[in-house]
Each structure stands twice: as structure tokens, then as C-alpha cells.
Amino acid sequence: MLREELYNITSDSLFKTGKISVRAYHVCENGQLMTLGDIIDYYKDEGNFYGIRNSGKKTCLELETLCK
């Protein structure tokens, strides 16, 4: 149950609470990663976030850390 609740946290909420930077938030928007579950699933499938527009080394590291 808790895991499902965590997966449903929106990227907007993550940004507003300071869990991700504005840059990471925009990368999530560009990649249509609307929830933490979307972010984690993308990372599991792709292994990194470089495939999303405007995603650089710093942002990838930030989002990878969030996934772990």
C-alpha cells in the first residue's frame, strides 16, 4: 500500500516540496513523467535520463538518486 502511494506522488509535488530541482522538473515534463512511478519505470527501462530533451549529467544524477 505504501509503495503504491509513493508511486503516485506527482512530479509537481516533488518539485514543490524541494525533492527535485526546477531543471529536473522540466526534464520530467519534457519526458511526460508525471509521477514518481513514471520516473522510476523510465529509469528501469532506459537506465538513465539522457534520452529526454535538456537532460544533462547533473539532472540525470539527481533523478537517478531519486530512483534509488
Side-chain angles (χ1 to χ4, degrees):
M1 183 72 163
L2 178 61
R3 185 176 177 98
E4 185 176 317
E5 289 177 18
L6 291 175
Y7 262 58
N8 291 327
I9 296 173
T10 64
S11 57
D12 187 51
S13 178
L14 290 170
F15 170 65
K16 287 181 179 177
T17 58
K19 304 291 186 211
I20 61 174
S21 66
V22 67
R23 187 179 312 204
Y25 175 69
H26 287 294
V27 167
C28 290
E29 282 188 328
N30 290 339
Q32 297 182 357
L33 307 174
M34 300 301 163
T35 65
L36 180 57
D38 293 340
I39 296 167
I40 292 170
D41 290 342
Y42 185 91
Y43 180 67
K44 285 180 182 176
D45 291 343
E46 301 296 324
N48 61 53
F49 296 92
Y50 288 113
I52 301 174
R53 193 181 94 205
N54 294 332
S55 182
K57 184 177 181 179
K58 190 173 182 179
T59 304
C60 284
L61 181 60
E62 179 182 347
L63 291 173
E64 287 171 13
T65 302
L66 180 70
C67 291
K68 295 174 182 176

